[in-house]
Amino acid sequence: MDNKRLGKALDIMRLAEEAAARPGGISLVQIVDTFGVTLRTAQRMSRALEEAFPMVQTRTDKERRKWWQLPDSRLLHLQGIRDSELSALEMGIRRAEREGAATEVAALTSLRNRLLATMPPTFARRAEVDAEAVLEARGHACRPGPRAQYSALVLGAIDNALKGPFTMQIDYAGAQDAAPRSRAVEPYGVLFGMRGYLIAREIDNGGKYRHFRLDRISRASLLKDSFVRDPGFDLGQHAARAFGSFHSEAEYGPVEWRFAPSAADVARTFIFHPDQQVQDEADGSLTVRFTAGGWLEMAWHLYQWGAAVEVIAPYEVRALVDAHRRSDFPSLP
């Protein structure tokens, strides 16, 4: 289907949404105003609506104007929420946050969460990711900072394998490998951050989930076999075991940070971890607790807070932060 025909089809779907959403339906004049088309085009669209949706109801009012109404909108509900619609909501939330409109932020956030809750988890996560991509593509958002470069061919192969799901073969050079070594794996997902990782289980190697750095995968290809995903694996829960994208079972444990009263208001606006617990202290400070791993990535983040944060746990992160403070490196403002 070419772009012109696709655009017309999308217009008819949107017209069906309007006919279902308006209590009295939609008239030709309203079609002209809503879509910015001529009366002749509006007439063609109304005829296409009747052909595409036989259940549409029509009526003529006292002024001899014809109205179209779609009483059964279950088919439309199956569409879920589009990435452009979700990105518009996100932009509205961010704009309200910048303007200090707390009531609007709460209302729009509640609406976004309810819409996502009506969608299957897989579609909801995809919509959120797509919405971020739309914001970036429109120039309304970007991801500053350094990041590793990855092969587009490798990422494309991983994407196709995850859709199957299919087993795949990767040529991977581990930290101890002098040259890339071929491995057959079952892919489960990708983590992006300062570094990106493929989460996969190496076939015939114990079934343990491993993290393969994307920048160390020189080649990736699909194998002919599909596989049955572990129903107990949840990408969101797996990602939450780390503060960033680096995972280490040896570093996994309770985390507790206390932000000074001077930094509490700013820290309260951060989501340090999806499962964080926040507690306001009597002296005006703020305590944040969660469970995760990745000590170095935690320390990298905490360096910018300077003396405004006290690391209560884990000890290893406190040692890194204290060592940084004893050095000559200035803290970020």
Side-chain angles (χ1 to χ4, degrees):
M1 182 181 292
D2 57 39
N3 291 337
K4 187 174 182 179
R5 293 176 60 194
L6 176 60
K8 290 181 178 179
L10 293 175
D11 281 343
I12 298 306
M13 292 300 297
R14 186 182 165 201
L15 177 56
E17 292 175 349
E18 294 288 340
R22 304 187 186 209
I26 189 169
S27 68
L28 283 177
V29 173
Q30 291 175 334
I31 295 174
V32 170
D33 293 339
T34 301
F35 292 87
V37 297
T38 65
L39 181 60
R40 186 181 295 274
T41 300
Q43 291 171 333
R44 286 198 296 265
M45 291 176 64
S46 65
R47 289 195 294 269
L49 176 66
E50 294 177 5
E51 293 176 3
F53 295 89
M55 74 288 293
V56 70
Q57 296 177 356
T58 62
R59 64 181 176 85
T60 303
D61 62 18
K62 295 180 180 179
E63 299 178 3
R64 302 181 65 181
R65 293 177 304 184
K66 191 172 181 179
W67 297 76
W68 289 261
Q69 185 175 18
L70 193 62
D72 188 351
S73 58
R74 288 175 295 178
L75 177 62
L76 300 176
H77 292 164
L78 297 177
Q79 298 179 74
I81 180 173
R82 299 186 182 95
D83 54 7
S84 58
E85 295 166 341
L86 185 57
S87 68
L89 267 177
E90 294 287 356
M91 290 171 63
I93 292 171
R94 298 182 190 191
R95 188 178 298 115
E97 287 175 341
R98 290 197 301 269
E99 297 174 356
T103 302
E104 285 75 8
V105 170
L108 289 173
T109 301
S110 176
L111 174 60
R112 178 199 61 193
N113 293 343
R114 286 206 315 275
L115 288 171
L116 289 174
T118 64
M119 303 171 62
T122 302
F123 293 151
R125 285 193 294 270
R126 186 183 67 189
E128 291 181 296
V129 172
D130 288 347
E132 291 184 5
V134 169
L135 285 173
E136 291 184 25
R138 292 180 178 174
H140 297 301
C142 63
R143 300 178 188 229
R147 71 186 72 178
Q149 289 187 338
Y150 314 121
S151 164
L153 294 177
V154 168
L155 292 179
I158 292 174
D159 181 51
N160 289 329
L162 289 170
K163 290 175 181 176
F166 296 105
T167 57
M168 61 186 307
Q169 184 171 306
I170 60 173
D171 290 351
Y172 183 78
Q176 307 302 320
D177 294 329
R181 187 160 56 87
S182 291
R183 310 162 194 251
V185 300
E186 298 173 346
Y188 273 77
V190 175
L191 298 178
F192 284 115
M194 185 170 290
R195 285 201 181 102
Y197 293 87
L198 167 66
I199 306 169
R201 294 200 296 194
E202 195 166 357
I203 298 175
D204 299 329
N205 193 17
K208 181 180 178 181
Y209 294 105
R210 293 195 53 192
H211 293 74
F212 298 94
R213 276 178 47 175
L214 293 177
D215 57 319
R216 291 182 174 176
I217 301 176
S218 57
R219 190 173 65 87
S221 58
L222 270 64
L223 298 176
K224 63 180 181 179
D225 298 325
S226 61
F227 68 96
V228 178
R229 286 176 58 91
D230 177 3
F233 179 85
D234 183 275
L235 182 59
Q237 293 178 3
H238 184 85
R241 294 184 63 82
F243 178 73
S245 56
F246 175 74
H247 281 236
S248 171
E249 292 299 321
E251 298 181 7
Y252 182 77
V255 176
E256 184 174 349
W257 302 335
R258 183 164 296 162
F259 294 88
S262 60
D265 286 343
V266 176
R268 198 174 286 109
T269 66
F270 276 74
I271 298 179
F272 299 97
H273 189 272
D275 299 327
Q276 70 183 26
Q277 295 181 341
V278 179
Q279 179 178 324
D280 292 305
E281 306 295 346
D283 63 351
S285 60
L286 184 76
T287 300
V288 178
R289 298 182 180 90
F290 56 89
T291 303
W295 297 335
L296 191 56
E297 287 182 315
M298 292 182 197
W300 286 341
H301 175 77
L302 292 175
Y303 290 158
Q304 65 184 307
W305 292 90
V309 62
E310 175 189 1
V311 180
I312 299 172
Y315 165 79
E316 292 80 1
V317 175
R318 183 168 75 242
L320 288 169
V321 172
D322 289 346
H324 181 268
R325 289 174 183 164
R326 291 193 298 268
S327 68
D328 295 330
F329 293 105
S331 298
L332 295 176

